[in-house]
């Protein structure tokens, strides 16, 4: 079965530039695709691949939109260029090819013991999404999320934050945002706000690490700087991805 849905559109984000920047509204485009492919003719085992990507189209200076889109494409699909549709197509084809190669190896291993019924190890899913997650001053933040399931007990989910200078489209990191000697204070703030970021005391007590440090995976929002900790990074799988927000007022003196 093959099912593909494509949608392209414009969404206006009311993101006003900071003083000294242009006051254009950032307009973003959206690309969506979902496709289900069988392992082989006559079998109901299948892989589903899906992508949902938001990217800037206008409202920034110079070629900043193109640079940001190139970074989002590279993070999302692992290829160069700024054509989201072509990159998604290449990624989807690669996922299907890998699925069929691995799945057919398993079928050969099961030869003689396979009754043709669906096999849980042969139901795969690969998805990727990217969206504009926040803006503060001259920084635009994006989150790229992935989910991969290749049989087994559960899949794997990840979220990666990437930050851009809205004037140039260049990627910026912690060293561009925080002062050189801010590390220890950031650690204290992150550890202090960790418990409130979790649903209850049981979740907090289940953590592997309670004295957490900045890990380079962060975004900016109107509320503050949000750090993202992946599955197993500081706690067990069932806690999922943990996000800790440091309010702007508490970061005074730590920002460049």
């Amino acid at each position: 079965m093959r099912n593909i849905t494509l949608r392209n559109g414009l969404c206006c984000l009311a993101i006003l530039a900071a003083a000294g920047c242009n006051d254009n509204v950032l307009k973003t485009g959206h690309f969506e695709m979902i496709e289900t492919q069988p392992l082989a003719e006559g079998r109901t085992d299948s892989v589903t691949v899906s992508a949902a990507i938001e990217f800037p189209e206008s409202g920034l200076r110079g070629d900043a939109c193109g640079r940001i889109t190139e970074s989002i494409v590279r993070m999302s699909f692992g290829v160069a260029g700024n054509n989201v549709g072509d990159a998604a197509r290449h990624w989807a084809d690669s996922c299907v090819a890998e699925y069929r190669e691995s799945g057919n190896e398993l079928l050969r291993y099961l030869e003689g013991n396979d009754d043709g019924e669906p096999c849980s190890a042969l139901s795969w899913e690969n998805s990727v999404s990217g969206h504009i997650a926040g803006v503060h001053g001259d920084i635009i933040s994006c989150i790229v999320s992935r989910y991969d399931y290749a049989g087994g007990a559960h899949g794997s989910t990840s979220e990666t934050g990437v930050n851009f200078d809205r004037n140039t489209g260049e990627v910026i990191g912690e060293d561009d945002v925080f002062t050189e000697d801010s590390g220890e204070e950031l650690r204290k703030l992150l550890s202090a706000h960790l418990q409130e970021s979790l649903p209850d005391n049981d979740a907090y007590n289940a953590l592997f690490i309670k004295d957490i440090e900045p890990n380079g995976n962060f975004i900016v929002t109107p509320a503050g700087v949000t750090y993202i900790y992946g599955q197993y990074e500081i706690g067990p799988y069932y806690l999922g991805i943990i996000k800790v927000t440091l309010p702007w007022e508490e970061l005074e003196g730590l920002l460049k």
Side-chain angles (χ1 to χ4, degrees):
M1 180 178 67
R2 183 182 178 94
N3 177 24
I4 302 176
T5 302
L6 301 179
R7 178 171 67 87
N8 287 288
L10 288 178
C11 175
C12 293
L13 297 180
I15 300 172
L16 297 181
C21 298
N22 67 62
D23 58 357
N24 290 338
V25 174
L26 174 62
K27 294 182 180 179
T28 63
H30 294 259
F31 173 89
E32 294 184 10
M33 176 185 75
I34 182 168
E35 176 175 326
T36 300
Q37 292 282 8
L39 175 61
E41 187 175 352
R43 291 196 64 92
T44 56
D45 312 290
S46 63
V47 60
T48 298
V49 292
S50 61
I53 304 296
E54 180 183 21
F55 54 94
E57 287 200 328
S58 63
L60 301 179
R61 290 177 173 174
D63 59 356
C65 285
R67 288 183 174 178
I68 292 174
T69 300
E70 285 180 4
S71 293
I72 292 172
V73 164
R74 185 163 52 251
M75 287 183 62
S76 301
F77 304 117
V79 297
N82 59 11
N83 188 311
V84 181
D86 288 350
R89 180 71 267 156
H90 179 273
W91 168 78
D93 290 344
S94 297
C95 289
V96 173
E98 180 183 0
Y99 166 69
R100 286 177 171 162
E101 180 179 359
S102 298
N104 284 315
E105 282 184 10
L106 179 58
L107 285 181
R108 286 191 291 271
Y109 176 78
L110 295 174
E111 191 172 0
N113 297 306
D114 176 40
D115 57 8
E117 292 299 312
C119 174
S120 60
L122 293 176
S123 295
W124 286 27
E125 181 179 348
N126 302 103
S127 67
V128 61
S129 64
H131 67 279
I132 306 298
V135 177
H136 183 77
D138 286 339
I139 303 175
I140 297 175
S141 293
C142 176
I143 286 182
V144 174
S145 305
R146 315 187 74 88
Y147 176 76
D148 298 293
Y149 177 74
H154 53 70
S156 174
T157 302
S158 68
E159 287 190 13
T160 303
V162 59
N163 303 283
F164 304 96
D165 183 326
R166 68 170 297 144
N167 297 305
T168 66
E170 297 291 336
V171 175
I172 58 178
E174 284 177 333
D175 293 343
D176 302 300
V177 176
F178 299 106
T179 59
E180 186 175 352
D181 57 353
S182 63
E184 179 61 20
E185 288 303 314
L186 287 174
R187 182 191 64 76
K188 291 178 181 178
L189 286 172
L190 285 165
S191 300
H193 284 280
L194 176 58
Q195 187 164 8
E196 69 191 41
S197 304
L198 296 164
D200 50 42
N201 287 334
D202 289 341
Y204 182 74
N205 292 331
L207 292 172
F208 306 147
I209 303 171
K210 297 184 177 69
D211 186 13
I212 58 175
E213 299 183 359
N215 63 356
N217 190 9
F218 71 97
I219 60 170
V220 302
T221 73
V225 175
T226 298
Y227 273 87
I228 304 168
Y229 296 88
Q231 292 176 328
Y232 297 116
E233 188 172 353
I234 61 173
Y237 175 85
Y238 78 88
L239 290 181
I241 293 168
I242 298 170
K243 298 178 181 179
V244 183
T245 297
L246 307 180
W248 288 115
E249 58 268 23
E250 296 184 26
L251 293 172
E252 197 170 327
L254 303 179
L255 301 170
K256 287 187 174 179

